[in-house]
Amino acid sequence: MKIVRKNQTEEHELELERDQGDQITARVDGSSVVLTIQRLSDGSFLVSDGERRYRGFVCRSESGVEVAIGPYLFSFTLEQAREVRSRSTQVARPEIVAPMPGRVAKVMVAEGDRVRKGQPVLVLEAMKMELVLSAEVPGTVTRLRVTVGTQIEAGAVLVEIKPDLSTQQAETEAS
Amino acid sequence: MKEIKKLLVANRAEIALRIIRTAKALGIKTVAVFSEADKTAAHVAAADEAVSLGSPEASRSYLNIAAIIDAARRVKADAIHPGYGFLSERADFAKAVADAGIIFVGPPASALALAGDKIGARKIAMECAIPVVPGGEVEDLSAARALAARLGFPVVVKAAAGGGGRGMRVVRAETELEEALEAGAREAKQAFGDGRVYLEKFLARPRHVEVQLLCDAYGRVVVLGERECSVQRRHQKLIEESPSPVVDDELRSKMAQAAIKLAQRTGYVNAGTVEFLLDGREFYFLEINARLQVEHPVTELRFNCDLVAEQLKLAAGEPVRDRWEPRGHALECRIYAEDPELGFRPATGEVLYVHKPEGPGVRVDSWIEPGSRITPYYDGLLAKVITYGEDREQARRRMAIALEELVLAGVPHTGGFLRDIVLSEPFIRGELSTRLIDEQFATWRPDQQALRVALAMAATAFVRRIDLTQSATGPTLNRRADRSPWVELRGFVPWS
């Protein structure tokens, strides 16, 4: 199976070769990993790779699984799940989606505006930082769902953009 | 001398909890306030009483001066501790508290007003012959261009009313100046309600060193050493320590004298901090933090004291204790709900599991437990891991082990990143600067051995039939029971 780490840039090839309950053998990116796993009373586990032992924890996340190994936290998605999601959003409605929760600090476009690919559309402010969100495709702003000051959750659709048909087709064909 | 019998803590999370604990130990009754988002939070459970402030938005709860004073009146609290952040440095709040006949555990409104105006504080420092970073206030773009040309790029845009790095922008070339001024002013306006900005020369690799003060109402000031807080991201601290690995007695004494002068000049009372940038052996006044600092436990471990207890005594009018003996070395690492791989982007979520470090010389100030929600409304500080050692190396080793013990799932956090910094060569050698993270850890990735273990665990989880296609496209899993570990899989997982 192919697993993608959350930042979507790192792919890993995995195969579970043997599963004997408390001992597993997996191929991770072409080399073998043998783990001895022991469940602990608080729901976490103790895992050893023969060299180091870690306390860890596994849970489901919105899009896959999250694995804590000591103080390191990893988030994984199955490649197939990611493809299904990205296809359905990219072709249907190229929209500006909030990557993090926060508050809209600035809106740089109005409904009806034409935007270039990469053009800054709005500024999001969360806790103590600002993030500029840009159009991913060229097109026309069809709907502005937020104004300055709107509090938003991660994943919320902020701006709807109708992509230029020619560009969209070109990108669909290329992918 | 006044007696504090009942204290309202106008804050949340770890600092509220920490203040409540000290007050209780002094025999003072405690009152928590909370927003709707914090109804079940640890600080609410810890206090003797709790009063709801309303909606989760900070402006309607922890920043709502009228609601907080009303709560204090209703429960007949005779003192209010503001913690840090929120209303802690607002002169209007301190004044409103005093006007209501309640003791404000912090400096008087007049000192807060002086310290809070960064441009004014700079002027006071210059009048006291304390060096400041070259720069000044700018009214408009052309004035900014002229000043920047005189200072030479890079320059820094800072908020006049600011602090905590908000509104701060590094400008490397004139072409970036306009955008930085605009963004800095916007962020400053949003954060402080005051869009004034000023320009300063950018120092390439300064250290951040600050001096802890305790000041009584009779004009006496004592210095509790310094803290070095150079390890920062976005101009906000991640690791602090005391003493600084590079400050010697001569420099320490000079910085202490400067800090004392400023405290006396501003009529400061209670605990406060004077921040400096240190460049070689030259130090420059940065700002006065007129409150208890996030990193105060570092000083507490080194001076074997309780700074909140000292604050309460000073607020009640007691004279400051004059003998303070430092010992050993203390370090603090801040665990934030942020993703160090994505430029420290703030993260939200629910804590699904947490295992906190313990042991000799280890202190953890935290508010999280399984089920705690990290919301976008407030600062994302989850926990502070503080270690003490007879020397820096012992404190550092204890920190590395403590951070290895930390396990936290449900929300990205800085724990693993900080462990790697604490184990890195520059940190071991004490070669720190405020640019350390940007210059040497910008492309940080988690421990590769841990990643391989995590990948094998993930493969097992996927194969043991967690239905991921469903969770990727199906309804959001927001009930805790749905997301807790292996709940629906217990039958499948024969790990014992």
Side-chain angles (χ1 to χ4, degrees):
Chain A
M1 72 188 94
K2 212 170 239 170
I3 280 186
V4 184
R5 205 146 76 80
K6 62 153 179 244
N7 51 13
Q8 310 260 314
T9 53
E10 206 181 281
E11 285 190 2
H12 297 277
E13 192 58 52
L14 296 181
E15 196 188 328
L16 187 62
E17 291 181 332
R18 291 185 71 182
D19 184 348
Q20 299 162 291
D22 57 358
Q23 192 173 76
I24 58 147
T25 306
R27 276 197 92 68
V28 176
D29 298 325
S31 67
S32 206
V33 176
V34 181
L35 298 182
T36 311
I37 304 155
Q38 190 189 341
R39 242 184 110 82
L40 301 177
S41 56
D42 67 351
S44 66
F45 57 80
L46 195 63
V47 58
S48 167
D49 62 1
E51 195 185 322
R52 277 164 69 181
R53 295 166 93 218
Y54 306 86
R55 182 188 277 257
F57 191 80
V58 179
C59 53
R60 285 170 68 152
S61 66
E62 305 261 326
S63 56
V65 293
E66 203 173 270
V67 183
I69 298 293
Y72 303 100
L73 188 63
F74 303 94
S75 198
F76 300 112
T77 311
L78 267 183
E79 173 72 3
Q80 66 194 67
R82 185 179 70 131
E83 273 174 12
V84 169
R85 279 203 315 170
S86 60
R87 275 207 197 110
S88 61
T89 52
Q90 256 182 22
V91 177
R93 286 194 312 198
E95 48 213 8
I96 306 287
V97 176
M100 62 180 189
R103 181 184 159 281
V104 177
K106 190 178 180 185
V107 179
M108 286 104 126
V109 293
E111 286 181 4
D113 279 6
R114 289 200 33 82
V115 288
R116 301 182 314 276
K117 181 176 175 175
Q119 179 179 335
V121 172
L122 50 82
V123 178
L124 202 59
E125 202 241 25
M127 293 166 200
K128 292 182 176 174
M129 69 182 289
E130 279 193 357
L131 186 72
V132 179
L133 302 181
S134 306
E136 280 173 23
V137 294
T140 308
V141 176
T142 51
R143 193 164 164 218
L144 211 54
R145 294 197 184 189
V146 292
T147 55
V148 170
T150 310
Q151 286 281 350
I152 44 132
E153 296 285 330
V157 176
L158 310 176
V159 181
E160 292 173 23
I161 294 170
K162 183 171 180 278
D164 294 347
L165 208 55
S166 54
T167 320
Q168 188 194 9
Q169 278 170 344
E171 289 195 354
T172 310
E173 276 156 26
S175 66
Chain B
M1 207 103 78
K2 299 155 275 189
E3 195 191 347
I4 298 176
K5 291 187 190 129
K6 198 179 212 182
L7 177 73
L8 182 142
V9 181
N11 215 299
R12 64 181 297 280
E14 67 89 16
I15 194 60
L17 195 52
R18 188 250 167 280
I19 294 164
I20 288 166
R21 284 173 173 151
T22 288
K24 280 181 155 179
L26 292 170
I28 299 170
K29 290 277 175 216
T30 55
V31 183
V33 290
F34 61 95
S35 78
E36 287 306 302
D38 283 338
K39 257 190 283 191
T40 57
H43 77 277
V44 177
D48 298 306
E49 279 176 74
V51 181
S52 167
L53 294 174
S55 306
E57 294 87 352
S59 59
R60 295 190 184 180
S61 51
Y62 302 103
L63 288 174
N64 186 339
I65 294 178
I68 289 168
I69 289 181
D70 184 54
R73 279 201 174 116
R74 264 189 289 150
V75 300
K76 299 191 168 57
D78 42 30
I80 294 180
H81 195 306
Y84 53 68
F86 294 125
L87 295 169
S88 60
E89 291 182 274
R90 290 263 301 267
D92 55 344
F93 180 59
K95 184 173 183 303
V97 172
D99 289 350
I102 299 167
I103 298 170
F104 179 74
V105 184
S110 55
L112 279 171
L114 290 174
D117 179 353
K118 303 299 163 192
I119 297 170
R122 256 176 80 95
K123 284 186 188 133
I124 294 172
M126 287 190 276
E127 285 160 21
C128 294
I130 297 164
V132 297
V133 181
E137 196 170 359
V138 286
E139 300 269 301
D140 53 33
L141 183 60
S142 66
R145 282 203 175 114
L147 179 58
R150 220 168 46 233
L151 296 171
F153 286 96
V155 296
V156 191
V157 175
K158 287 187 176 177
R166 301 200 74 171
M168 193 162 159
R169 290 276 185 293
V170 177
V171 186
R172 302 196 173 276
E174 193 181 317
T175 48
E176 299 169 7
L177 193 58
E178 185 172 3
E179 164 62 24
L181 285 171
E182 194 197 315
R186 186 173 59 240
E187 211 172 293
K189 182 98 177 72
Q190 203 270 320
F192 312 110
D194 179 350
R196 285 181 304 143
V197 294
Y198 65 102
L199 283 190
E200 262 182 13
K201 174 137 191 71
F202 178 72
L203 301 174
R205 282 185 192 82
R207 288 169 179 260
H208 176 116
V209 177
E210 59 189 31
V211 172
Q212 176 68 53
L213 301 175
L214 288 179
C215 314
D216 66 20
Y218 316 103
R220 266 169 303 200
V221 181
V222 296
V223 173
L224 272 67
E226 80 282 0
R227 292 181 291 257
E228 172 155 3
C229 320
S230 298
V231 182
Q232 307 185 347
R233 51 85 184 84
R234 291 201 299 273
H235 316 295
Q236 290 164 353
K237 302 157 190 169
L238 278 179
I239 304 180
E240 300 97 343
E241 62 186 294
S242 182
S244 158
V246 294
V247 171
D248 58 21
D249 285 342
E250 190 197 341
L251 194 53
R252 181 168 297 126
S253 157
K254 278 188 187 167
M255 295 174 91
Q257 290 314 312
I260 290 169
K261 252 194 261 177
L262 277 167
Q264 287 173 337
R265 182 63 179 269
T266 51
Y268 202 91
V269 182
N270 215 284
T273 297
V274 179
E275 295 187 332
F276 298 100
L277 284 179
L278 180 66
D279 193 16
R281 291 190 63 83
E282 301 298 318
F283 64 87
Y284 304 95
F285 167 74
L286 208 53
E287 60 185 46
I288 302 171
N289 286 148
R291 55 171 155 83
L292 187 68
Q293 300 270 88
V294 175
E295 60 273 24
H296 73 276
V298 160
T299 301
E300 291 184 326
L301 292 193
R302 187 156 173 253
F303 284 83
N304 195 22
C305 68
D306 180 336
L307 284 176
V308 173
E310 297 303 324
Q311 283 193 293
L312 291 167
K313 286 186 213 162
L314 292 168
E318 283 188 38
V320 68
R321 192 176 110 197
D322 55 8
R323 279 187 61 83
W324 296 86
E325 288 298 324
R327 58 190 183 131
H329 200 103
L331 273 172
E332 175 182 277
C333 283
R334 299 191 191 183
I335 313 300
Y336 276 99
E338 287 178 9
D339 194 329
E341 283 189 87
L342 296 176
F344 298 94
R345 178 182 292 179
T348 56
E350 182 181 342
V351 174
L352 298 175
Y353 177 81
V354 58
H355 177 79
K356 297 174 192 170
E358 291 172 7
V362 178
R363 163 175 164 185
V364 179
D365 281 14
S366 132
W367 63 281
I368 52 162
E369 52 202 16
S372 295
R373 285 198 161 275
I374 317 306
T375 66
Y377 302 114
Y378 317 116
D379 184 81
L381 182 63
L382 303 176
K384 306 187 299 205
V385 179
I386 311 116
T387 60
Y388 172 81
E390 283 167 27
D391 54 25
R392 186 175 190 266
E393 185 56 14
Q394 189 184 35
R396 191 190 67 81
R397 284 168 181 264
R398 282 176 168 171
M399 180 61 78
I401 293 161
L403 292 176
E404 270 162 44
E405 276 185 37
L406 174 77
V407 185
L408 205 169
V411 56
H413 63 90
T414 52
F417 175 80
L418 291 170
R419 172 186 178 254
D420 288 359
I421 291 200
V422 165
L423 290 173
S424 72
E425 279 302 316
F427 192 85
I428 292 171
R429 292 195 297 263
E431 287 166 6
L432 311 177
S433 90
T434 57
R435 307 273 302 136
L436 180 75
I437 288 178
D438 289 344
E439 289 181 346
Q440 301 196 39
F441 294 91
T443 56
W444 177 85
R445 290 289 173 266
D447 186 90
Q448 291 303 295
Q449 193 176 352
L451 170 63
R452 290 174 61 75
V453 173
L455 281 163
M457 292 300 296
T460 315
F462 284 124
V463 171
R464 287 182 189 179
R465 304 188 46 163
I466 296 185
D467 190 348
L468 288 154
T469 40
Q470 196 194 339
S471 63
T473 54
T476 315
L477 297 162
N478 48 19
R479 276 192 21 247
R480 192 178 149 224
D482 292 341
R483 295 187 57 188
S484 54
W486 307 114
V487 159
E488 71 276 38
L489 301 163
R490 281 228 165 103
F492 289 98
V493 186
W495 300 342
S496 56

